[in-house]
């Protein structure tokens, strides 16, 4: 069956009333959390993991994807009107967007951001539908050696991409690997790292780890920073609808931003920060005439909003390519979505396309619907989202902690689960406090047991001969990429002039 037919079948799944409802809930919640500084899609998806157990696999994953897309756009609202990015990927939008808002063109900036998100997300989703089947064809030829190499690649790249230090990334990764080993060894039946605690023999729930680290720990960290949300919110002046002249200025930035975002999304760079930065830099360098004057002056150029916002949502679609086809997350939100798959007993990869095509193609088709919903919701009702900036922070943080606790109680139903939730929450807070990234912990917890399974399978097939790991050309190529991912940034920083390095916060998407 060709891609077009599969996409039509997926559309039939996506337009089912309940799935449409889940998509709507996802984009609404995603936009809301994107608007509020410091609360992103990763935290929100983690928070909803235990609650979504009753929604079914297809509905939950559609909702999570809607949250991801909605969060990408929502960050633009606070960036433009408050000059405080709701998401790290919206940092570049704030540069020109807030200048436009202060110049009385806030409506135009919000309109350019909304249409850019729709443009980038829609075309990148189409690219996802085209590219994914080819990735699956390649992955179907993989054996234990290639899969183990892929796990190593994921471990190394996530450790290198998230946070500012490779050592801290690796430390977080090994912590996650240790958590993944807790429980009964499926091969020998022996308890590992349970320390005599009976509850630990059943393994630690991924939902507890994700909610503890990202929801509880992240919320405690954000609250401890005492962010000042009392800054002046610029009023929305002017229409949010773009004129033909505005669209003419935006179309090339939309195209360039989409291409950059979709190209970088599958790469383990930690999120959408790099493509949005490159998009902004490209638009500034290629600007001519009025646009160049607006970039250099206080008015703000609409191209500086259009390009990064298209790159933002295109990157989100690109991130789903390695997640769905290989089971490799390249952002924090993708790592938590991987946990969402696993809580339904699903393992992303080529077999997912074969065994569960309705889920995969229903999810892909729902992304088109989610993008359309975002435009309909965000252009006419942007004033409603702005009011969320007025919610007192203590109320918000208290609500998140309460919701996280109730979700785990409902899913696990034990006091010990709450003790673990608090423990991982405190661990997440301390890691954020001392600059350790959270995503590698979750990736190690999820993929560690899978890597062990592939390693043991390969050893049994090859009668204990370890050399099978290094006899496959594909595996050797993957190892080389993993090594380059770790050493590349180190070499790059060493070659840069002192003080010329720019750090990106890469633990938020």
């Amino acid at each position: 069956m060709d891609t077009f037919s599969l996409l039509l079948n997926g559309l039939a799944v996506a337009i089912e009333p309940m799935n449409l409802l889940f998509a709507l809930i996802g984009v609404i919640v995603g936009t809301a959390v994107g608007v509020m500084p410091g609360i992103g899609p990763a935290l929100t998806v983690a928070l909803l993991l235990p609650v979504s157990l009753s929604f079914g696999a297809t509905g939950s994953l559609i909702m999570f994807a809607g949250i991801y897309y909605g969060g990408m756009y929502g960050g633009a609202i606070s960036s433009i009107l408050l000059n405080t990015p709701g998401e790290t990927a919206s940092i570049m939008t704030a540069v020109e967007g807030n200048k436009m808002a202060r110049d009385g063109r806030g409506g135009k900036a919000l309109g350019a951001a909304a249409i850019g998100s729709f443009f980038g997300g829609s075309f990148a989703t189409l690219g996802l539908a085209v590219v994914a089947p080819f990735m699956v064809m390649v992955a179907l030829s993989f054996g234990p050696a290639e899969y183990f190499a892929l796990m190593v690649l994921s471990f190394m790249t996530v450790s290198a991409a998230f946070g500012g230090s490779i050592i801290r990334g690796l430390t977080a990764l090994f912590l996650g690997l240790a958590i993944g080993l807790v429980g009964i060894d499926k091969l020998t039946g022996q308890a590992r790292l349970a320390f005599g605690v009976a509850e630990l023999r059943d393994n630690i729930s991924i939902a507890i780890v994700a909610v503890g680290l990202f929801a509880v720990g992240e919320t405690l960290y954000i609250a401890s920073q005492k962010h000042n949300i009392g800054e002046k919110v610029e009023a929305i002046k002017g229409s949010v609808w773009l004129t033909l002249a505005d669209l003419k200025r935006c179309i090339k930035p939309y195209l360039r931003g989409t291409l950059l975002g979709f190209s970088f999304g599958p790469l383990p760079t930690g999120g959408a920060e790099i493509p949005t930065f490159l998009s902004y830099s490209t638009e500034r360098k290629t600007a001519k005439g009025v646009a160049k004057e607006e970039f250099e002056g206080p008015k703000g150029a609409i191209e500086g909003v259009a390009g990064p916002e298209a790159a933002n949502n295109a990157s989100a679609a690109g991130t789903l390519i390695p997640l769905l086809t290989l089971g490799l997350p390249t952002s924090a939100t993708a790592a938590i979505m991987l946990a969402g798959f696993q809580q339904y007993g699903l393992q992303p990869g080529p077999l997912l396309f074969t065994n569960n095509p309705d889920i995969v193609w229903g999810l892909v088709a729902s992304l088109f619907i989610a993008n359309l919903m975002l435009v309909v919701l965000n252009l006419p009702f942007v004033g409603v989202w702005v009011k969320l900036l007025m919610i007192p922070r203590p109320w918000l943080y208290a609500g998140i902690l309460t919701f996280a606790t109730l979700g785990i109680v409902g899913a696990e139903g034990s006091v010990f689960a709450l003790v673990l939730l608090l423990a991982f929450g405190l661990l997440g807070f301390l890691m954020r406090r001392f600059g350790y990234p959270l995503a590698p912990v979750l990736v190690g917890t999820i993929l560690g047991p899978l890597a062990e399974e592939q390693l043991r399978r390969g050893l049994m097939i090859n009668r204990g001969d370890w050399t099978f790991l290094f006899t496959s050309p594909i595996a050797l190529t993957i190892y080389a990429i993993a090594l380059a991912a770790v050493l590349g940034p180190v070499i790059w920083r060493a070659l840069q002039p002192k003080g010329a390095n720019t750090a990106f916060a890469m633990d938020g998407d």
Side-chain angles (χ1 to χ4, degrees):
M1 191 177 293
D2 59 20
T3 299
F4 183 71
S5 300
L6 290 167
L7 199 53
L8 283 179
N9 290 342
L11 186 61
V13 174
I15 61 175
E16 292 177 6
M18 284 305 298
N19 289 336
L20 286 175
L21 177 62
F22 284 125
L24 180 62
I25 292 171
V27 297
I28 290 175
V29 173
T31 304
V33 299
V35 168
M36 293 179 284
I39 302 174
L43 186 155
T44 309
V45 174
L47 193 64
L48 292 175
L49 270 181
V51 180
S52 65
L53 276 170
S54 59
F55 296 166
T58 304
S60 296
L61 295 170
I62 286 174
M63 181 177 68
F64 292 159
I67 291 171
Y68 199 2
Y69 270 34
M72 293 292 105
Y73 174 73
I77 298 176
S78 57
S79 294
I80 292 169
L81 300 181
L82 190 62
N83 200 26
T84 302
E87 276 296 298
T88 53
S90 300
I91 290 173
M92 304 318 299
T93 303
V95 178
E96 299 301 317
N98 190 249
K99 288 198 295 185
M100 290 181 67
R102 293 199 302 268
D103 189 53
R105 294 184 295 146
K108 297 289 186 186
L110 291 167
I115 296 174
S117 294
F118 173 77
F119 188 97
S122 297
F123 278 90
T125 302
L126 185 61
L128 164 65
V130 172
V131 172
F134 293 100
M135 293 282 287
V136 169
M137 289 173 61
V138 173
L140 283 172
S141 64
F142 283 11
E146 289 81 8
Y147 271 114
F148 182 78
L150 274 178
M151 301 300 173
V152 172
L153 173 63
S154 181
F155 294 153
M156 294 298 100
T157 52
V158 167
S159 300
F162 290 92
S165 165
I166 294 177
I167 297 299
R168 290 181 177 180
L170 289 172
T171 302
L173 171 68
F174 282 111
L175 180 59
L177 291 173
I179 294 170
L181 291 175
V182 174
I184 297 293
D185 182 352
K186 295 179 181 178
L187 187 63
T188 66
Q190 297 294 314
R192 301 186 298 188
L193 301 179
F195 305 105
V197 180
E199 289 86 349
L200 291 179
R201 294 170 65 89
D202 294 328
N203 307 102
I204 297 176
S205 167
I206 296 296
I208 293 177
V209 178
V211 174
L213 291 176
F214 283 89
V216 178
E218 192 78 359
T219 303
L220 292 174
Y221 174 74
I222 295 169
S224 72
Q225 300 303 297
K226 299 182 179 179
H227 288 295
N228 181 18
I229 311 300
E231 299 176 24
K232 180 183 177 183
V233 179
E234 298 290 340
I236 303 175
K237 297 177 183 178
S239 172
V240 297
W241 303 103
L242 302 186
T243 63
L244 287 176
D246 295 326
L247 286 172
K248 186 177 179 180
R249 290 181 60 177
C250 289
I251 189 65
K252 288 184 178 178
Y254 285 157
L255 288 169
R256 287 189 287 258
T258 300
L259 181 60
L260 283 168
F262 185 70
S263 300
F264 275 85
L267 301 178
T269 55
E273 292 84 354
I274 289 179
T276 53
F277 175 78
L278 291 176
S279 175
Y280 177 81
S281 299
T282 301
E283 299 312 320
R284 190 178 181 94
K285 289 177 181 177
T286 58
K288 299 177 181 178
V290 175
K292 186 174 183 180
E293 293 176 5
E294 290 178 344
F295 268 113
E296 295 174 352
K299 289 189 173 183
I302 197 170
E303 292 87 348
V305 175
E309 281 304 305
N312 207 340
N313 271 45
S315 176
T319 297
L320 295 178
I321 293 177
L323 176 66
L324 293 176
T325 60
L326 301 173
L328 301 180
T330 57
S331 73
T333 307
I336 300 175
M337 287 183 68
L338 178 59
F341 275 98
Q342 289 207 334
Q343 77 174 0
Y344 287 103
L346 302 171
Q347 178 56 43
L351 293 181
L352 184 67
F353 283 75
T354 303
N355 299 335
N356 305 96
D358 289 347
I359 292 177
V360 176
W361 291 103
L363 174 62
V364 173
S366 74
L367 298 177
F368 290 105
I369 297 172
N371 268 297
L372 184 61
M373 288 178 173
L374 278 169
V375 174
V376 174
L377 285 170
N378 288 313
L379 282 177
F381 302 112
V382 67
V384 176
W385 302 117
V386 175
K387 295 184 183 300
L388 293 175
L389 293 170
M390 308 304 174
I391 296 177
R393 299 296 100 174
W395 294 9
L396 187 61
Y397 301 143
I400 291 174
L401 293 175
T402 301
F403 195 77
T405 304
L406 291 176
I408 292 299
V409 168
E412 302 295 329
S414 71
V415 175
F416 186 76
L418 289 180
V419 173
L420 282 180
L421 178 67
L422 176 60
F424 281 112
L426 293 175
L427 175 64
F429 169 74
L430 291 173
M431 291 182 69
R432 292 287 282 120
R433 171 66 181 80
F434 293 103
Y436 286 83
L438 301 179
V441 179
L442 193 60
V443 170
T445 303
I446 297 171
L447 296 185
L450 298 177
E452 180 189 26
E453 179 184 346
Q454 295 296 337
L455 177 62
R456 284 181 161 182
R457 182 178 298 170
L459 288 172
M460 285 189 290
I461 293 173
N462 293 276
R463 299 181 179 181
D465 184 2
W466 288 79
T467 59
F468 84 94
L469 293 172
F470 309 103
T471 55
S472 165
I474 297 176
L476 289 174
T477 302
I478 295 173
Y479 290 136
I481 296 172
L483 190 63
V486 174
L487 297 181
V490 176
I491 297 173
W492 173 259
R493 283 194 291 266
L495 294 176
Q496 294 302 300
K498 188 175 181 180
N501 294 324
T502 300
F504 289 94
M506 294 187 178
D507 201 31
D509 277 335

